[in-house]
Amino acid sequence: MDLDAVTKQSVLHAKPDGLILQYGTAGFRTKAEHLDHVMFRMGLLAVLRSKQTKSTIGVMVTASHNPEEDNGVKLVDPLGEMLAASWEEHATCLANAEEQHLPRVLVDISEKAAVDLHQDAFVVIGRDTRPSSERLSQSVIDGVTVLGGQFYDYGLLTTPQLHYMVFCRNSNGQYGKATVEGYYQKLSLAFVELTKQAFCRGDDHRTLKVDCANGIGALKLAEMKHYFCPGLSVQLFNDGTKGKLNHLCGADFVKSHQKPPQGIEMRANERCCSFDGDADRIVYYYHDADGQFHLIDGDKIATLISSFLKELLLEIGDGLSLGVVQTAYANGSSTRYLEEVMKVPVYCTKTGVKHLHHKAQEFDIGVYFEANGHGTVLFSKAAETKIKQLAKESEDEKKAAKMLENIIDLFNQTIGDAISDMLVIEAILALKGLTVQQWDALYTDLPNRQLKVKVADRQVISTTDAERQVVKPPGLQEAINDLVKKYRLSRAFVRPSGTEDIVRVYAEADSQENTDSLAYEVSLAVFQLAGGIGERPQRG
Ligand code: G16
């Protein structure tokens, strides 16, 4: 390691004095102007991780659902999954080291993680469409090259596309071809194969309106859409030609405000969906004939997918296990429906796909979705082998096994992927002949509300029990318990966000009015007991 060269280069990417950042729910995120040093250092870290794992590592420059002025960075591990927890700690140490300590911290990490410094390193880089992303990804490249790493810059990519590229490269192409074209071909081939029957039945032209959050999803979907046309025709809105990224549009806006995005023309009962800023989340929605808005979030997506998979598994009848993983944000009705009606085991983890992903790996088939629309389905190696073998064998099971085989290819098994999830959902709706209203009617969501509270230091709140209970500050959980008791079918929890400088509050109850009151009262308790700053929370 040429530490002198690192020191010299690092001066050009100097850390602002006193700035401390944490590797959060999905990497580092803050105002773009504070991230240059973090990007350079994540380039360094990616080289060390690549040497240690003897694999290609990914670096994605994005702040996903955050406002356009923010940016962020996350590292992608060899199998395309999120960076291992132990390396998140290294990332935080490296990002926060003062200039003069940088060489020592690099040596410490190399020693602790037993990095073979003679090993070659290869890093792939992707970025979203934020104005700051190109410059920041150049800082990542500076970090990679000063430690002698090789790199390939994919330029503009959705986050899930970068995860896909990493896994393709480390599986020597077995997972797919590590090109954008390879990604389009893999997904669209599976989609066309899977939906052949449905579209042959005469249900032959299906249109879907897609709000692309003025982000990267628009560019990639525009490139891809001719691959699955005429089976599915997508109409793009908020494609970045005029609006601001994630502003009044996108999956996060639609889910948290429970209203349609601006900039989309919706007619009654038309199926619409929204991606977020880096196209790893998706939610669906429609207006009914009375103009009422209906949101179909990640929970209902998980339910649709699980029930379809369960039917196919029953047909092939080979006892493969299916489990669903959610977080505390999952609507109580969805959990009840999955457990009591569908008889599927459901597990709850902390927020962040990295947590859900690991839990889902415990099943033959693990379905994981956050309520915000971030999720996918994982198939174990054994399940995949069995399904592929059945697809070749007896006629009866062949149809279901063949479908499962295509579904395996259609899901991005490295991470939640809005494009891949959209194609899976469209395929299931077409094959089952379901309208969006029929899908929505699977169960009725309990009214729910999410609010944000500003506090001086969100780390004063710590939680346990998959973030459903507050441990600190003292008195806050007791206050929440007392408030929850006032309402029927109620539940509330609070947790510090790992992507924004706020505390998130979630509440549900028997009516929207009660839910809104509960959410407001809990917000006030957070404001009072956890050091709220700025404007006090206001009632509805
Ligand atoms: C990221 C994570 C998600 C998480 C979301 C919000 O999403 O990947 O798993 O649900 O942040 O996290 P928090 O509540 O901690 O702010 P994205 O789409 O922004 O990458």
Side-chain angles (χ1 to χ4, degrees), residues 25-26 29 64-65 74 82 276 278 280-281 329 351-353 370 372 374 495 497-500 504:
T25 312
R29 281 198 199 169
S64 189
H65 77 274
K74 53 187 157 192
M82 297 285 212
D276 71 341
D278 63 343
D280 58 7
R281 297 195 212 168
Y329 292 104
T351 300
V353 277
E370 294 186 294
N372 63 22
H374 205 167
R495 52 173 288 277
S497 162
T499 60
E500 297 173 59
R504 293 197 197 280

Side-chain angles (χ1 to χ4, degrees), residues 12 32 70 85 93 102 137 152 195 227 262 294 301 304-305 309 312 324 332 343 365 384 395 422 442 486 492 499 507:
L12 305 175
D70 287 5
C93 283
L102 193 59
S137 65
Y152 182 79
T195 51
Y227 283 89
Q262 285 193 1
H294 296 255
I301 294 174
L304 176 79
I305 292 171
L309 290 176
L312 294 180
V324 177
K343 310 278 182 221
I365 300 174
E384 193 176 329
E395 278 304 313
M422 176 191 87
L442 281 179
K486 290 169 52 185
T499 60

Side-chain angles (χ1 to χ4, degrees), residues 437-502:
Q437 295 74 20
Q438 287 166 325
W439 173 20
D440 185 33
L442 281 179
Y443 60 83
T444 306
D445 274 324
L446 275 172
N448 59 92
R449 179 69 64 206
Q450 266 195 63
L451 295 175
K452 300 178 185 183
V453 183
K454 272 229 155 253
V455 296
D457 174 11
R458 66 195 201 272
Q459 302 310 334
V460 298
I461 297 186
S462 62
T463 62
T464 184
D465 186 23
E467 302 176 319
R468 290 172 290 197
Q469 297 282 321
V470 171
V471 180
K472 273 195 314 207
L476 181 54
Q477 186 58 48
E478 290 72 16
I480 295 172
N481 293 345
D482 289 345
L483 294 169
V484 165
K485 273 187 213 139
K486 290 169 52 185
Y487 302 96
R488 278 194 63 245
L489 299 176
S490 56
R491 187 167 75 87
F493 66 89
V494 307
R495 52 173 288 277
S497 162
T499 60
E500 297 173 59
D501 191 9
I502 44 117

Side-chain angles (χ1 to χ4, degrees), residues 28-48:
F28 293 101
R29 281 198 199 169
T30 188
K31 293 269 164 285
E33 73 239 36
H34 295 144
L35 279 168
D36 181 46
H37 69 294
V38 176
M39 298 292 168
F40 172 72
R41 293 168 185 211
M42 288 311 102
L44 302 175
L45 193 76
V47 170
L48 295 187

Side-chain angles (χ1 to χ4, degrees), residues 86-316:
S86 55
W87 277 73
E88 289 188 3
E89 284 175 33
H90 297 323
T92 300
C93 283
L94 194 61
N96 294 322
E98 295 308 331
E99 279 314 308
Q100 68 274 24
H101 300 142
L102 193 59
R104 184 180 52 72
V105 173
L106 280 174
V107 172
D108 274 0
I109 296 172
S110 309
E111 284 174 6
K112 274 193 199 146
V115 176
D116 175 0
L117 293 170
H118 301 293
Q119 184 66 35
D120 289 340
F122 198 84
V123 177
V124 291
I125 300 154
R127 64 170 196 270
D128 71 12
T129 53
R130 278 161 216 269
S132 57
S133 291
E134 189 168 0
R135 178 179 56 80
L136 291 173
S137 65
Q138 186 52 52
S139 306
V140 174
I141 293 171
D142 289 352
V144 172
T145 44
V146 76
L147 273 191
Q150 303 283 306
F151 72 92
Y152 182 79
D153 182 9
Y154 279 100
L156 292 166
L157 278 189
T158 70
T159 295
Q161 284 178 331
L162 183 76
H163 286 256
Y164 163 91
M165 300 304 173
V166 172
F167 191 28
C168 288
R169 284 174 180 264
N170 290 321
S171 64
N172 293 322
Q174 269 189 38
Y175 187 63
K177 224 168 138 203
T179 59
V180 177
E181 192 65 23
Y183 170 92
Y184 295 151
Q185 275 167 359
K186 178 174 175 179
L187 264 58
S188 53
L189 191 68
F191 178 75
V192 170
E193 275 298 310
L194 188 61
T195 51
K196 246 185 206 159
Q197 283 176 316
F199 294 138
C200 289
R201 279 204 308 254
D203 196 7
D204 60 352
H205 194 79
R206 300 174 60 93
T207 303
L208 174 67
K209 291 185 165 174
V210 187
D211 152 34
C212 298
N214 291 316
I216 181 72
L219 304 184
K220 298 301 163 184
L221 210 46
E223 284 170 10
M224 189 182 187
K225 66 182 193 178
H226 68 271
Y227 283 89
F228 43 76
C229 204
L232 171 67
S233 149
V234 291
Q235 256 181 288
L236 308 188
F237 295 85
N238 297 322
D239 62 356
T241 45
K242 28 186 209 296
K244 219 174 158 187
L245 178 71
N246 295 327
H247 182 61
L248 304 175
C249 61
D252 195 67
F253 172 86
V254 173
K255 169 68 183 160
S256 41
H257 292 83
Q258 303 187 21
K259 62 180 186 193
Q262 285 193 1
I264 192 165
E265 297 147 21
M266 283 171 74
R267 284 200 296 265
N269 295 321
E270 243 175 12
R271 211 167 63 260
C272 304
C273 67
S274 285
F275 290 5
D276 71 341
D278 63 343
D280 58 7
R281 297 195 212 168
I282 185 168
V283 293
Y284 271 68
Y285 45 90
Y286 66 98
H287 262 149
D288 63 23
D290 300 328
Q292 202 196 329
F293 177 72
H294 296 255
L295 173 67
I296 303 180
D297 65 4
D299 301 334
K300 239 171 217 171
I301 294 174
T303 310
L304 176 79
I305 292 171
S306 312
S307 61
F308 184 69
L309 290 176
K310 201 171 167 199
E311 271 175 35
L312 294 180
L313 290 178
L314 279 175
E315 273 181 54
I316 64 170

